[in-house]
Amino acid sequence: QVQLAESGGGLVQAGGSLRLTCTASGSIFSPDVMAWYRQAPGKQRELVATIPSLGSTVYADPVKGRFTISRDNAKNTVYLQMNSQKPEDTAVYLCTAVVRFKDYWGQGTQVTVSS
C-alpha cells in the first residue's frame, strides 16, 4: 500500500511563497506520475500541476508562471514551489501518485493566502 505524506502548507501573505513537499512510501515501484491538486471550500477539486517520471510537466492556467512542480525520483518525492501567491490560491492541496496504474492520494495540506 502506497502512503503519501505532504508537508509545507501554512499561512502566507499575498505575493509570498511556500513550498509543498510530498513523499511516497510503501512500494518498491516509483510513481509513474505525481501531481498536485487543490480544493477550495465549496469548489470542486482541480488539477494544479503534474509531473511524470519521464516527460513534460503540465500546469493549470491559473498557476502558470507562478508555480513550479519538480520531483526527486530517488526519494519518490514531489515538490510544488508556489510564488507570487494570490488569495485565490487558498485551498487544501493534495498530492497524488500513480503507481502501477493505481491512484493514491495524500491527506492534504492547508494553504491560506491572506490579502
Side-chain angles (χ1 to χ4, degrees):
Q1 186 72 8
V2 174
Q3 294 89 40
L4 299 176
E6 300 126 327
S7 62
L11 174 65
V12 64
Q13 288 189 331
S17 298
L18 282 175
R19 188 174 86 150
L20 305 182
T21 299
C22 172
T23 299
S25 61
S27 173
I28 62 171
F29 300 105
S30 293
D32 302 302
V33 180
M34 300 189 81
W36 289 96
Y37 282 74
R38 66 186 182 186
Q39 188 162 18
K43 294 188 176 181
Q44 288 190 333
R45 186 174 296 182
E46 63 176 1
L47 174 69
V48 176
T50 66
I51 183 167
S53 56
L54 294 172
S56 301
T57 56
V58 175
Y59 294 94
D61 286 343
V63 308
K64 282 181 181 176
R66 299 189 297 120
F67 291 10
T68 302
I69 189 170
S70 60
R71 64 187 284 177
D72 183 333
N73 290 331
K75 297 180 179 179
N76 289 334
T77 296
V78 64
Y79 306 96
L80 185 68
Q81 178 67 42
M82 304 184 291
N83 298 329
S84 302
Q85 289 194 263
K86 304 176 181 180
E88 51 264 43
D89 294 327
T90 295
V92 174
Y93 283 71
L94 302 111
C95 172
T96 182
V98 177
V99 181
R100 305 286 283 180
F101 307 107
K102 289 186 178 180
D103 293 344
Y104 299 90
W105 291 83
Q107 298 276 18
T109 184
Q110 176 70 43
V111 172
T112 302
V113 184
S114 63
S115 58

